[in-house]
Amino acid sequence: MSLPIPPWRIKGVEPVPAPTSEERVSALEKAQGNLFHLPSHAVTVDLLTDSGTGAMSQSQWAALMEGDESYAGSRSFHQLEKSVREIFGFHRILPAHQGRAAEEILFGTFGRKGGVVVSNHLFDTTTAHAHHVGMETKACVVQEGLWGGNFDLGLLENQIREGNVDLLVATVTCNSTGGLPVSLKNLRAVYEIARAHHIRLWVDMARIAENSYFQWKAGEGESPLACAKATCDLMDGGWMSAKKDGLVNMGGFIALRHGEHYEELAERGILSEGFPTYGGMSGRGMASLAVGLWEAMDERYLTHRIGEVRDLHDRLAEWDVPMVSPGGHAVFVDAGAWLPHLKPTDFPGQSLALALYLVAGIRSSEIGSLLAGRDLSGEQIDAHGEYTRLAIPRRTYTAGHRYFVSEAFRILAECRESIPPILLAKESPSLRHFQSTFERFLWTPSQFAKN
Ligand code: F0G
């Protein structure tokens, strides 16, 4: 497929740093091998995350100026609630400053020690919140083919039969297993199962626009908007990290069908996030999000956006880099397969991410055993693969940047056998990819020293 023309042109630009190889080595040493600890001026192309790193449109900047900063009853809150209602069909919202804050309110309110959350796959902060309140988490994703984010329905039924399931969560798209989408057909079957067993079904909507694009293209609805609405119609409620498909740099919300449990949730939210008509967001943040939610549903925007991911995927495929089939927001390199000399306990996804940084100043992230972490009993959670994720910020990088990334992979392809295993120097107890440090990651093959 040829890449569609970007449906925007660039109005403001930001310089891209160009650290030398010596500066990269020194920055990585200071960061003790943790890419989250690098200063952004030491990064040339930042593919660490697509979360809050995109560019806003002129309409969003204009909306920002009109933001209403009233403590209570802000006009911007009502605009945001209107967008959520019209796009997703959820009638009440509680803003939160980001997705995990919404999770904190949800699990803090509904969480039950000994309860079980079953999902296709949860994002790591969701898992951490569930564990924090003493709940077990179980994933049952199929992880194969285009609809790799789908629930394995047989496994789902089995897990429900084992008992104690309080909540089902559909993560769309499924970030932890390749950013692959979930079909409407699969979600309808999950809905039937949830109804039959009287279990609540919620949706993690962080990338629901991208998921809806795939459903639309597969003929499951007449537009991405129609598919997003049909997805939410199956749900008892949802929450969103608006830093992804809200096209804003910060924000989130809980969305309720008709306002069930609103009082309880609002009470808890007031303690940590603030009064329910701002809940951790500024008026201008809510105003620009109200616009961004619509822009993310635009067919031209989504066609280009998903095309960017496919474009990077196809460029790396030229060097025979093994990857998950391209999903919504990122290219997932199968580092476990590409670096067969490394075991999962060597964290190949992290080793490759560090090598990519040393070679070209490209920052990526590990999605594998390191991120998966440990369960309530301290055992390593089985990761669904050992990936290095190249997350693509929205409306931010051009084909030129993707070419640069592809050149770095051409270099790595020539010397991947020499990429070393890394060791954990300090392991943090929860969400360990953020705080842990590493040893033995320095790898400066002579051919790169002069770059
Ligand atoms: N749910 C999903 C599916 C996510 O991908 C994330 C964040 C969250 C919830 C939490 O939202 O960051 O606003 O608190 N994912 C980012 C990422 C951090 O890089 O994939 P948050």
mmCIF file of all heavy atoms in Angstrom, residues 216-256:
data_model
loop_
_atom_site.group_PDB
_atom_site.id
_atom_site.type_symbol
_atom_site.label_atom_id
_atom_site.label_comp_id
_atom_site.label_asym_id
_atom_site.label_seq_id
_atom_site.Cartn_x
_atom_site.Cartn_y
_atom_site.Cartn_z
ATOM 1 N N TRP A 216 -13.589 -0.651 10.963
ATOM 2 C CA TRP A 216 -14.202 0.011 9.795
ATOM 3 C C TRP A 216 -13.673 -0.607 8.498
ATOM 4 O O TRP A 216 -14.422 -0.967 7.593
ATOM 5 C CB TRP A 216 -13.896 1.514 9.873
ATOM 6 C CG TRP A 216 -14.192 2.308 8.645
ATOM 7 C CD1 TRP A 216 -15.384 2.348 7.959
ATOM 8 C CD2 TRP A 216 -13.295 3.199 7.963
ATOM 9 N NE1 TRP A 216 -15.271 3.207 6.887
ATOM 10 C CE2 TRP A 216 -14.005 3.747 6.873
ATOM 11 C CE3 TRP A 216 -11.982 3.598 8.173
ATOM 12 C CZ2 TRP A 216 -13.424 4.665 5.984
ATOM 13 C CZ3 TRP A 216 -11.409 4.508 7.309
ATOM 14 C CH2 TRP A 216 -12.120 5.032 6.225
ATOM 15 N N LYS A 217 -12.345 -0.754 8.422
ATOM 16 C CA LYS A 217 -11.723 -1.297 7.210
ATOM 17 C C LYS A 217 -12.169 -2.734 6.949
ATOM 18 O O LYS A 217 -12.203 -3.196 5.808
ATOM 19 C CB LYS A 217 -10.192 -1.239 7.328
ATOM 20 C CG LYS A 217 -9.641 0.137 7.037
ATOM 21 C CD LYS A 217 -9.810 0.429 5.549
ATOM 22 C CE LYS A 217 -9.916 1.897 5.256
ATOM 23 N NZ LYS A 217 -10.146 2.207 3.847
ATOM 24 N N ALA A 218 -12.497 -3.450 8.022
ATOM 25 C CA ALA A 218 -12.941 -4.840 7.861
ATOM 26 C C ALA A 218 -14.437 -4.907 7.564
ATOM 27 O O ALA A 218 -15.009 -5.996 7.495
ATOM 28 C CB ALA A 218 -12.623 -5.626 9.128
ATOM 29 N N GLY A 219 -15.071 -3.742 7.409
ATOM 30 C CA GLY A 219 -16.493 -3.728 7.051
ATOM 31 C C GLY A 219 -17.424 -3.961 8.231
ATOM 32 O O GLY A 219 -18.585 -4.314 8.056
ATOM 33 N N GLU A 220 -16.917 -3.734 9.456
ATOM 34 C CA GLU A 220 -17.780 -3.961 10.620
ATOM 35 C C GLU A 220 -18.667 -2.756 10.940
ATOM 36 O O GLU A 220 -19.489 -2.825 11.853
ATOM 37 C CB GLU A 220 -16.931 -4.329 11.847
ATOM 38 C CG GLU A 220 -16.244 -5.679 11.707
ATOM 39 C CD GLU A 220 -15.767 -6.252 13.035
ATOM 40 O OE1 GLU A 220 -14.961 -5.575 13.706
ATOM 41 O OE2 GLU A 220 -16.179 -7.358 13.401
ATOM 42 N N GLY A 221 -18.473 -1.679 10.232
ATOM 43 C CA GLY A 221 -19.295 -0.490 10.457
ATOM 44 C C GLY A 221 -19.048 0.492 9.344
ATOM 45 O O GLY A 221 -18.066 0.362 8.605
ATOM 46 N N GLU A 222 -19.911 1.506 9.225
ATOM 47 C CA GLU A 222 -19.789 2.388 8.052
ATOM 48 C C GLU A 222 -18.744 3.490 8.216
ATOM 49 O O GLU A 222 -18.385 4.147 7.245
ATOM 50 C CB GLU A 222 -21.149 2.972 7.679
ATOM 51 C CG GLU A 222 -21.712 3.873 8.764
ATOM 52 C CD GLU A 222 -23.127 4.327 8.449
ATOM 53 O OE1 GLU A 222 -23.769 3.656 7.620
ATOM 54 O OE2 GLU A 222 -23.554 5.346 9.033
ATOM 55 N N SER A 223 -18.239 3.677 9.429
ATOM 56 C CA SER A 223 -17.194 4.682 9.677
ATOM 57 C C SER A 223 -16.485 4.306 10.975
ATOM 58 O O SER A 223 -17.029 3.530 11.779
ATOM 59 C CB SER A 223 -17.833 6.069 9.834
ATOM 60 O OG SER A 223 -18.679 6.061 10.973
ATOM 61 N N PRO A 224 -15.295 4.879 11.211
ATOM 62 C CA PRO A 224 -14.649 4.637 12.511
ATOM 63 C C PRO A 224 -15.565 5.081 13.660
ATOM 64 O O PRO A 224 -15.663 4.411 14.686
ATOM 65 C CB PRO A 224 -13.375 5.489 12.449
ATOM 66 C CG PRO A 224 -13.090 5.642 10.992
ATOM 67 C CD PRO A 224 -14.426 5.656 10.311
ATOM 68 N N LEU A 225 -16.252 6.188 13.432
ATOM 69 C CA LEU A 225 -17.155 6.713 14.463
ATOM 70 C C LEU A 225 -18.242 5.689 14.800
ATOM 71 O O LEU A 225 -18.507 5.408 15.983
ATOM 72 C CB LEU A 225 -17.784 8.007 13.936
ATOM 73 C CG LEU A 225 -18.587 8.831 14.905
ATOM 74 C CD1 LEU A 225 -17.711 9.327 16.045
ATOM 75 C CD2 LEU A 225 -19.217 10.029 14.177
ATOM 76 N N ALA A 226 -18.834 5.108 13.755
ATOM 77 C CA ALA A 226 -19.897 4.118 13.977
ATOM 78 C C ALA A 226 -19.334 2.909 14.725
ATOM 79 O O ALA A 226 -19.998 2.340 15.599
ATOM 80 C CB ALA A 226 -20.500 3.690 12.641
ATOM 81 N N CYS A 227 -18.101 2.536 14.403
ATOM 82 C CA CYS A 227 -17.496 1.362 15.062
ATOM 83 C C CYS A 227 -17.181 1.667 16.525
ATOM 84 O O CYS A 227 -17.353 0.802 17.397
ATOM 85 C CB CYS A 227 -16.226 0.937 14.319
ATOM 86 S SG CYS A 227 -16.575 0.283 12.677
ATOM 87 N N ALA A 228 -16.702 2.887 16.805
ATOM 88 C CA ALA A 228 -16.401 3.252 18.196
ATOM 89 C C ALA A 228 -17.684 3.232 19.019
ATOM 90 O O ALA A 228 -17.711 2.725 20.147
ATOM 91 C CB ALA A 228 -15.762 4.635 18.248
ATOM 92 N N LYS A 229 -18.739 3.748 18.425
ATOM 93 C CA LYS A 229 -20.025 3.791 19.123
ATOM 94 C C LYS A 229 -20.526 2.362 19.378
ATOM 95 O O LYS A 229 -20.982 2.029 20.479
ATOM 96 C CB LYS A 229 -21.012 4.594 18.264
ATOM 97 C CG LYS A 229 -22.412 4.674 18.768
ATOM 98 C CD LYS A 229 -22.497 5.546 20.012
ATOM 99 C CE LYS A 229 -23.925 5.801 20.457
ATOM 100 N NZ LYS A 229 -24.808 4.668 20.376
ATOM 101 N N ALA A 230 -20.396 1.509 18.343
ATOM 102 C CA ALA A 230 -20.863 0.118 18.489
ATOM 103 C C ALA A 230 -20.041 -0.606 19.553
ATOM 104 O O ALA A 230 -20.572 -1.419 20.315
ATOM 105 C CB ALA A 230 -20.768 -0.598 17.139
ATOM 106 N N THR A 231 -18.751 -0.321 19.627
ATOM 107 C CA THR A 231 -17.900 -0.928 20.667
ATOM 108 C C THR A 231 -18.399 -0.513 22.047
ATOM 109 O O THR A 231 -18.602 -1.351 22.933
ATOM 110 C CB THR A 231 -16.430 -0.482 20.481
ATOM 111 O OG1 THR A 231 -15.961 -0.989 19.229
ATOM 112 C CG2 THR A 231 -15.534 -0.969 21.602
ATOM 113 N N CYS A 232 -18.618 0.777 22.221
ATOM 114 C CA CYS A 232 -19.011 1.276 23.551
ATOM 115 C C CYS A 232 -20.422 0.826 23.929
ATOM 116 O O CYS A 232 -20.711 0.666 25.118
ATOM 117 C CB CYS A 232 -18.883 2.795 23.596
ATOM 118 S SG CYS A 232 -17.167 3.305 23.535
ATOM 119 N N ASP A 233 -21.282 0.602 22.918
ATOM 120 C CA ASP A 233 -22.641 0.138 23.215
ATOM 121 C C ASP A 233 -22.644 -1.201 23.956
ATOM 122 O O ASP A 233 -23.616 -1.552 24.608
ATOM 123 C CB ASP A 233 -23.456 -0.017 21.912
ATOM 124 C CG ASP A 233 -23.956 1.330 21.401
ATOM 125 O OD1 ASP A 233 -23.869 2.324 22.161
ATOM 126 O OD2 ASP A 233 -24.422 1.388 20.243
ATOM 127 N N LEU A 234 -21.549 -1.956 23.813
ATOM 128 C CA LEU A 234 -21.468 -3.270 24.464
ATOM 129 C C LEU A 234 -20.977 -3.170 25.909
ATOM 130 O O LEU A 234 -20.949 -4.159 26.635
ATOM 131 C CB LEU A 234 -20.502 -4.174 23.685
ATOM 132 C CG LEU A 234 -20.826 -4.408 22.209
ATOM 133 C CD1 LEU A 234 -19.665 -5.081 21.505
ATOM 134 C CD2 LEU A 234 -22.094 -5.261 22.099
ATOM 135 N N MET A 235 -20.561 -1.992 26.305
ATOM 136 C CA MET A 235 -19.814 -1.840 27.555
ATOM 137 C C MET A 235 -20.673 -1.235 28.666
ATOM 138 O O MET A 235 -21.517 -0.390 28.411
ATOM 139 C CB MET A 235 -18.596 -0.929 27.330
ATOM 140 C CG MET A 235 -17.707 -1.394 26.204
ATOM 141 S SD MET A 235 -16.875 -2.940 26.647
ATOM 142 C CE MET A 235 -16.410 -3.545 25.017
ATOM 143 N N ASP A 236 -20.370 -1.650 29.908
ATOM 144 C CA ASP A 236 -21.024 -1.013 31.054
ATOM 145 C C ASP A 236 -20.383 0.331 31.357
ATOM 146 O O ASP A 236 -21.006 1.198 31.948
ATOM 147 C CB ASP A 236 -20.905 -1.919 32.279
ATOM 148 C CG ASP A 236 -21.693 -3.207 32.081
ATOM 149 O OD1 ASP A 236 -22.897 -3.111 31.826
ATOM 150 O OD2 ASP A 236 -21.086 -4.293 32.137
ATOM 151 N N GLY A 237 -19.136 0.476 30.983
ATOM 152 C CA GLY A 237 -18.447 1.734 31.220
ATOM 153 C C GLY A 237 -17.061 1.660 30.607
ATOM 154 O O GLY A 237 -16.684 0.635 30.015
ATOM 155 N N GLY A 238 -16.325 2.746 30.736
ATOM 156 C CA GLY A 238 -14.980 2.737 30.177
ATOM 157 C C GLY A 238 -14.129 3.797 30.833
ATOM 158 O O GLY A 238 -14.606 4.605 31.642
ATOM 159 N N TRP A 239 -12.853 3.758 30.542
ATOM 160 C CA TRP A 239 -11.976 4.856 30.943
ATOM 161 C C TRP A 239 -10.985 5.080 29.830
ATOM 162 O O TRP A 239 -10.739 4.201 28.999
ATOM 163 C CB TRP A 239 -11.284 4.587 32.278
ATOM 164 C CG TRP A 239 -10.126 3.647 32.246
ATOM 165 C CD1 TRP A 239 -8.810 3.981 32.143
ATOM 166 C CD2 TRP A 239 -10.168 2.211 32.338
ATOM 167 N NE1 TRP A 239 -8.026 2.845 32.161
ATOM 168 C CE2 TRP A 239 -8.839 1.749 32.271
ATOM 169 C CE3 TRP A 239 -11.208 1.275 32.448
ATOM 170 C CZ2 TRP A 239 -8.506 0.394 32.325
ATOM 171 C CZ3 TRP A 239 -10.879 -0.071 32.501
ATOM 172 C CH2 TRP A 239 -9.540 -0.492 32.442
ATOM 173 N N MET A 240 -10.454 6.295 29.807
ATOM 174 C CA MET A 240 -9.567 6.629 28.704
ATOM 175 C C MET A 240 -8.359 7.414 29.184
ATOM 176 O O MET A 240 -8.504 8.366 29.963
ATOM 177 C CB MET A 240 -10.324 7.479 27.669
ATOM 178 C CG MET A 240 -9.480 7.819 26.452
ATOM 179 S SD MET A 240 -10.459 8.576 25.152
ATOM 180 C CE MET A 240 -9.347 8.420 23.760
ATOM 181 N N SER A 241 -7.199 6.993 28.716
ATOM 182 C CA SER A 241 -6.037 7.857 28.786
ATOM 183 C C SER A 241 -6.115 8.720 27.533
ATOM 184 O O SER A 241 -5.853 8.245 26.434
ATOM 185 C CB SER A 241 -4.745 7.042 28.781
ATOM 186 O OG SER A 241 -3.665 7.923 28.485
ATOM 187 N N ALA A 242 -6.487 9.988 27.700
ATOM 188 C CA ALA A 242 -6.704 10.857 26.540
ATOM 189 C C ALA A 242 -5.398 11.269 25.878
ATOM 190 O O ALA A 242 -5.399 11.927 24.836
ATOM 191 C CB ALA A 242 -7.494 12.090 26.985
ATOM 192 N N LYS A 243 -4.271 10.851 26.470
ATOM 193 C CA LYS A 243 -2.953 11.186 25.925
ATOM 194 C C LYS A 243 -2.676 10.425 24.627
ATOM 195 O O LYS A 243 -1.701 10.691 23.949
ATOM 196 C CB LYS A 243 -1.878 10.853 26.962
ATOM 197 C CG LYS A 243 -2.099 11.588 28.273
ATOM 198 C CD LYS A 243 -1.160 11.098 29.361
ATOM 199 C CE LYS A 243 0.257 11.580 29.081
ATOM 200 N NZ LYS A 243 1.139 11.305 30.248
ATOM 201 N N LYS A 244 -3.534 9.466 24.323
ATOM 202 C CA LYS A 244 -3.370 8.717 23.076
ATOM 203 C C LYS A 244 -4.401 9.249 22.074
ATOM 204 O O LYS A 244 -4.172 10.269 21.427
ATOM 205 C CB LYS A 244 -3.545 7.210 23.320
ATOM 206 C CG LYS A 244 -2.369 6.556 24.036
ATOM 207 C CD LYS A 244 -2.443 6.711 25.509
ATOM 208 C CE LYS A 244 -1.431 5.887 26.267
ATOM 209 N NZ LYS A 244 -1.411 6.231 27.686
ATOM 210 N N ASP A 245 -5.538 8.565 21.984
ATOM 211 C CA ASP A 245 -6.505 8.959 20.955
ATOM 212 C C ASP A 245 -7.368 10.168 21.330
ATOM 213 O O ASP A 245 -8.305 10.500 20.601
ATOM 214 C CB ASP A 245 -7.383 7.753 20.583
ATOM 215 C CG ASP A 245 -6.665 6.842 19.586
ATOM 216 O OD1 ASP A 245 -5.603 7.253 19.072
ATOM 217 O OD2 ASP A 245 -7.160 5.731 19.316
ATOM 218 N N GLY A 246 -7.026 10.851 22.405
ATOM 219 C CA GLY A 246 -7.662 12.143 22.677
ATOM 220 C C GLY A 246 -6.876 13.263 22.017
ATOM 221 O O GLY A 246 -7.310 14.412 21.998
ATOM 222 N N LEU A 247 -5.703 12.923 21.505
ATOM 223 C CA LEU A 247 -4.818 13.881 20.818
ATOM 224 C C LEU A 247 -4.454 15.080 21.690
ATOM 225 O O LEU A 247 -4.339 16.208 21.196
ATOM 226 C CB LEU A 247 -5.450 14.354 19.491
ATOM 227 C CG LEU A 247 -5.683 13.258 18.440
ATOM 228 C CD1 LEU A 247 -6.349 13.840 17.195
ATOM 229 C CD2 LEU A 247 -4.362 12.593 18.047
ATOM 230 N N VAL A 248 -4.299 14.828 22.987
ATOM 231 C CA VAL A 248 -3.818 15.883 23.889
ATOM 232 C C VAL A 248 -2.597 15.382 24.653
ATOM 233 O O VAL A 248 -2.301 14.191 24.647
ATOM 234 C CB VAL A 248 -4.902 16.349 24.894
ATOM 235 C CG1 VAL A 248 -6.014 17.095 24.186
ATOM 236 C CG2 VAL A 248 -5.462 15.171 25.700
ATOM 237 N N ASN A 249 -1.906 16.301 25.310
ATOM 238 C CA ASN A 249 -0.675 15.933 25.998
ATOM 239 C C ASN A 249 -0.924 15.415 27.412
ATOM 240 O O ASN A 249 -0.058 14.770 27.999
ATOM 241 C CB ASN A 249 0.286 17.126 26.015
ATOM 242 C CG ASN A 249 0.575 17.609 24.599
ATOM 243 O OD1 ASN A 249 0.197 18.701 24.211
ATOM 244 N ND2 ASN A 249 1.192 16.757 23.803
ATOM 245 N N MET A 250 -2.072 15.712 27.942
ATOM 246 C CA MET A 250 -2.386 15.243 29.295
ATOM 247 C C MET A 250 -3.901 15.180 29.454
ATOM 248 O O MET A 250 -4.601 16.072 28.957
ATOM 249 C CB MET A 250 -1.775 16.230 30.312
ATOM 250 C CG MET A 250 -1.806 15.779 31.742
ATOM 251 S SD MET A 250 -1.078 14.150 32.021
ATOM 252 C CE MET A 250 0.671 14.514 32.007
ATOM 253 N N GLY A 251 -4.387 14.168 30.112
ATOM 254 C CA GLY A 251 -5.820 14.105 30.378
ATOM 255 C C GLY A 251 -6.367 12.691 30.355
ATOM 256 O O GLY A 251 -5.680 11.752 29.934
ATOM 257 N N GLY A 252 -7.585 12.578 30.831
ATOM 258 C CA GLY A 252 -8.242 11.278 30.842
ATOM 259 C C GLY A 252 -9.618 11.419 31.455
ATOM 260 O O GLY A 252 -9.998 12.502 31.908
ATOM 261 N N PHE A 253 -10.366 10.325 31.462
ATOM 262 C CA PHE A 253 -11.686 10.360 32.103
ATOM 263 C C PHE A 253 -12.217 8.952 32.309
ATOM 264 O O PHE A 253 -11.775 7.996 31.671
ATOM 265 C CB PHE A 253 -12.688 11.195 31.282
ATOM 266 C CG PHE A 253 -12.842 10.744 29.851
ATOM 267 C CD1 PHE A 253 -13.682 9.692 29.506
ATOM 268 C CD2 PHE A 253 -12.126 11.383 28.836
ATOM 269 C CE1 PHE A 253 -13.811 9.283 28.193
ATOM 270 C CE2 PHE A 253 -12.247 10.971 27.510
ATOM 271 C CZ PHE A 253 -13.096 9.911 27.189
ATOM 272 N N ILE A 254 -13.196 8.886 33.222
ATOM 273 C CA ILE A 254 -14.018 7.683 33.381
ATOM 274 C C ILE A 254 -15.330 8.010 32.679
ATOM 275 O O ILE A 254 -15.846 9.125 32.807
ATOM 276 C CB ILE A 254 -14.284 7.402 34.876
ATOM 277 C CG1 ILE A 254 -12.969 7.027 35.570
ATOM 278 C CG2 ILE A 254 -15.325 6.305 35.053
ATOM 279 C CD1 ILE A 254 -13.083 6.961 37.093
ATOM 280 N N ALA A 255 -15.873 7.042 31.939
ATOM 281 C CA ALA A 255 -17.125 7.287 31.218
ATOM 282 C C ALA A 255 -18.169 6.274 31.685
ATOM 283 O O ALA A 255 -17.900 5.066 31.726
ATOM 284 C CB ALA A 255 -16.887 7.139 29.721
ATOM 285 N N LEU A 256 -19.335 6.784 32.040
ATOM 286 C CA LEU A 256 -20.395 5.916 32.560
ATOM 287 C C LEU A 256 -21.599 5.968 31.631
ATOM 288 O O LEU A 256 -21.951 7.042 31.130
ATOM 289 C CB LEU A 256 -20.816 6.402 33.953
ATOM 290 C CG LEU A 256 -19.690 6.485 34.989
ATOM 291 C CD1 LEU A 256 -20.175 7.210 36.241
ATOM 292 C CD2 LEU A 256 -19.195 5.088 35.352
#
